[in-house]
Amino acid sequence: DGNRVKGGEEVYVSYGAFDNVETLSNYGFISNKPNEFNIEQFKVRSLGMGSGPAILIVDNEGSIDNLFNTMSLDSLRLSLAIPSELEDYKGTGKISDRNEEETYALIAGELEEAAYDAKTGVAEAEIRNDSLVAKYLRERQRTLESGLQWLRVKYPQVF
């Protein structure tokens, strides 16, 4: 039988396609390799939104323009739109060049803050000798900074 394990053989376990928060929270570890399924969330606040912050997700490749963020991006765009921009708006997606630049400038600022918070968290975790939390926060920082790099390429004018 090809499924039998012989004494001394190494056995591998797959926990599935989970992000780092999931593996840390439910299984108590962070992979030593970059996690292709990792995503990181951050909040973006705009006074015009009223109901609370938008939650945005940076995927493992640094993209913010992903399926997870469609509704949050639309809410941010609408909160920053001026009345004349809404006359021809179709209800989803880009409203205007001005609005898109303002939206992504706001996102960039919040993303920079989230990456900074992760970096400071690493230092604090290391002072407490909490290597697991430090490892998680290093990966969070890496993912958030890849989102900043994505923004720098796509919207260099906001930096």
Side-chain angles (χ1 to χ4, degrees):
D1 180 13
N3 292 328
R4 289 194 172 169
V5 178
K6 296 178 183 155
E9 284 186 316
E10 193 168 1
V11 176
Y12 297 91
V13 175
S14 171
Y15 288 86
F18 296 120
D19 61 43
N20 289 345
V21 169
E22 186 80 22
T23 59
L24 178 60
S25 301
N26 292 325
Y27 304 108
F29 76 92
I30 302 284
S31 176
N32 289 326
K33 301 175 192 173
N35 181 355
E36 66 180 293
F37 303 108
N38 194 40
I39 58 173
E40 292 294 340
Q41 298 181 3
F42 66 103
K43 295 178 183 178
V44 180
R45 295 165 186 84
S46 169
L47 292 175
M49 290 183 71
S51 64
I55 307 296
L56 293 176
I57 292 174
V58 178
D59 67 27
N60 192 48
E61 296 179 1
S63 177
I64 296 167
D65 192 14
N66 56 54
L67 181 61
F68 298 115
N69 292 334
T70 302
M71 290 175 61
S72 292
L73 286 171
D74 284 345
S75 294
L76 280 171
R77 288 175 177 122
L78 285 168
S79 75
L80 298 169
I82 56 177
S84 62
E85 291 174 322
L86 297 175
E87 292 171 7
D88 296 323
Y89 184 55
K90 304 296 182 214
T92 189
K94 181 179 176 179
I95 295 175
S96 72
D97 290 340
R98 183 214 62 85
N99 178 269
E100 201 72 355
E101 189 171 310
E102 191 168 336
T103 298
Y104 280 97
L106 179 61
I107 290 169
E110 295 292 333
L111 188 52
E112 282 178 329
E113 185 176 334
Y116 175 81
D117 289 347
K119 182 179 179 179
T120 4
V122 170
E124 291 173 12
E126 287 174 343
I127 289 168
R128 293 189 321 268
N129 291 319
D130 193 338
S131 60
L132 190 57
V133 170
K135 186 177 183 180
Y136 164 73
L137 289 171
R138 264 189 223 94
E139 281 301 303
R140 175 172 171 76
Q141 179 186 358
R142 184 195 63 74
T143 301
L144 295 173
E145 286 178 350
S146 70
L148 283 168
Q149 183 57 34
W150 180 87
L151 281 172
R152 282 185 186 97
V153 169
K154 191 163 182 174
Y155 299 98
Q157 68 274 24
V158 305
F159 287 92

